[in-house]
C-alpha cells in the first residue's frame, strides 16, 4: 500500500484518490440534478449514505475486534473495522437509502442519481489509480473513454425504464472487464458491484407513485 506523508501524518494513497473521486462524482451529479430540474434530496441522501459508510467502517472495530478495544480504548481513534467493517457500512447505508426512498417516494430519482454518481466517481477512481500505478496510456485512455461514454448515455432521462439494463452493462464493463487484471483490494473492487446493484434494486420501484 502506497502512503503519502504530510508532516507527522501518514495517509494511504487510495484514501486520497477515493476522496477526489467522490468530489468529482458529486460535482457532476450536482450539475445533472440542476440541469434536469430535479429535487436535491436524492443527492443529499447519497452523501448521507457515504457518511454512514465512513462512520460504521470507523467504529465497527468495536464489533470485529472488541478485545483490542477493551485492552486499548484509544485504538478506536487509530484503527477501523477493516474490510468487514466496510461491508457492514455498505449494508447499513443501503438500508438507509431504501428507507429514505420509501419514506419520500423518490425511488426513480435516487436510482438514477446513484448510478450516475457511482459511474462518474468510480470511473474517476480507476483513472487516477491507473495513473498512480504507472499503467500504459491505452488503459488510461480506455477508462476515460468508457466513463465518458457511460455518462453521456446516462444523461438522457427519457428511457428510465431501461435503467436496470444500463446498470447491468456498467457492472459488466467495470467489474468483469476492467477489474479482474488490476491489483485492487476487495473493498475497491466491490464498489464496481455495489452502485449498479443498488440502482437495480431501487429501480424495482420505478413505477411506484413518487414525488418528482
Amino acid at each position: 500500500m502506497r502512503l503519502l506523508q504530510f508532516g507527522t501524518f501518514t495517509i494511504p494513497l487510495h484514501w486520497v484518490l477515493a476522496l477526489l473521486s467522490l468530489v468529482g462524482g458529486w460535482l457532476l451529479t450536482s450539475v445533472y440534478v440542476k440541469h434536469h430540474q430535479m429535487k436535491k434530496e436524492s443527492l443529499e441522501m447519497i452523501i448521507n449514505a457515504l457518511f454512514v459508510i465512513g462512520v460504521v467502517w470507523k467504529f465497527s472495530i468495536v464489533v470485529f475486534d472488541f478485545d483490542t478495544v477493551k485492552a486499548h480504548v484509544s485504538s478506536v481513534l487509530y484503527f477501523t473495522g477493516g474490510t468487514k467493517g466496510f461491508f457492514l457500512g455498505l449494508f447499513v447505508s443501503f438500508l438507509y437509502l431504501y428507507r429514505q426512498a420509501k419514506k419520500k417516494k423518490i425511488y426513480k430519482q435516487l436510482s438514477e442519481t446513484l448510478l450516475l454518481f457511482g459511474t462518474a466517481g468510480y470511473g474517476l477512481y480507476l483513472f487516477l489509480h491507473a495513473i498512480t500505478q504507472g499503467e500504459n496510456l491505452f488503459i488510461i485512455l480506455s477508462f476515460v473513454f468508457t466513463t465518458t461514454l457511460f455518462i453521456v448515455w446516462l444523461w438522457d432521462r427519457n428511457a428510465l425504464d431501461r435503467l436496470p439494463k444500463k446498470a447491468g452493462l456498467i457492472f459488466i464493463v467495470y467489474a468483469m472487464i476492467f477489474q479482474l487484471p488490476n491489483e485492487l483490494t476487495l473493498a475497491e473492487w466491490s464498489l464496481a458491484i455495489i452502485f449498479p446493484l443498488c440502482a437495480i434494486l431501487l429501480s424495482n420501484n420505478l413505477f411506484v407513485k413518487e414525488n418528482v
Side-chain angles (χ1 to χ4, degrees):
M1 179 179 7
R2 296 179 60 181
L3 302 174
L4 297 178
Q5 190 75 34
F6 298 97
T8 58
F9 295 97
T10 301
I11 303 176
L13 175 62
H14 65 269
W15 287 15
V16 178
L17 300 185
L19 179 60
L20 292 174
S21 302
L22 291 175
V23 172
W26 174 77
L27 288 173
L28 183 67
T29 310
S30 297
V31 174
Y32 176 83
V33 170
K34 184 177 181 180
H35 176 76
H36 292 290
Q37 298 181 336
M38 299 164 58
K39 292 185 177 181
K40 296 181 180 180
E41 289 178 301
S42 57
L43 183 56
E44 292 173 354
M45 288 180 193
I46 295 173
I47 300 301
N48 291 340
L50 292 173
F51 178 75
V52 170
I53 292 174
V55 172
V56 174
W57 173 58
K58 178 64 178 175
F59 293 102
S60 61
I61 185 176
V62 178
V63 176
F64 297 114
D65 197 1
F66 181 73
D67 291 337
T68 298
V69 175
K70 184 178 180 181
H72 307 282
V73 178
S74 61
S75 62
V76 175
L77 300 177
Y78 300 102
F79 301 104
T80 67
T83 301
K84 293 179 180 179
F86 177 76
F87 282 109
L88 178 61
L90 288 178
F91 178 73
V92 174
S93 66
F94 176 75
L95 292 180
Y96 162 79
L97 286 176
Y98 185 81
R99 182 176 180 276
Q100 291 299 309
K102 184 177 181 180
K103 177 181 179 181
K104 299 184 179 181
K105 294 184 171 55
I106 54 172
Y107 295 102
K108 180 169 60 178
Q109 290 189 36
L110 180 57
S111 181
E112 61 179 302
T113 53
L114 178 64
L115 188 57
L116 181 70
F117 182 95
T119 301
Y122 196 62
L124 180 57
Y125 183 84
L126 293 179
F127 169 71
L128 295 174
H129 184 271
I131 291 179
T132 57
Q133 293 299 313
E135 296 284 1
N136 64 60
L137 183 60
F138 175 77
I139 292 178
I140 294 175
L141 291 179
S142 69
F143 288 151
V144 175
F145 175 77
T146 305
T147 302
T148 302
L149 186 64
F150 278 148
I151 290 173
V152 172
W153 190 33
L154 293 172
W155 202 265
D156 182 13
R157 298 190 71 210
N158 294 327
L160 289 178
D161 57 318
R162 295 197 295 271
L163 192 63
K165 294 180 181 179
K166 290 184 176 183
L169 180 58
I170 289 173
F171 161 72
I172 291 173
V173 173
Y174 277 159
M176 298 304 180
I177 298 177
F178 280 169
Q179 292 315 294
L180 290 180
N182 293 328
E183 296 181 359
L184 297 181
T185 66
L186 177 61
E188 292 170 323
W189 190 89
S190 67
L191 291 177
I193 302 174
I194 296 301
F195 73 82
L197 178 61
C198 289
I200 291 172
L201 292 174
L202 289 169
S203 67
N204 286 334
N205 295 280
L206 278 175
F207 300 103
V208 175
K209 185 177 180 181
E210 62 178 72
N211 299 320
V212 179

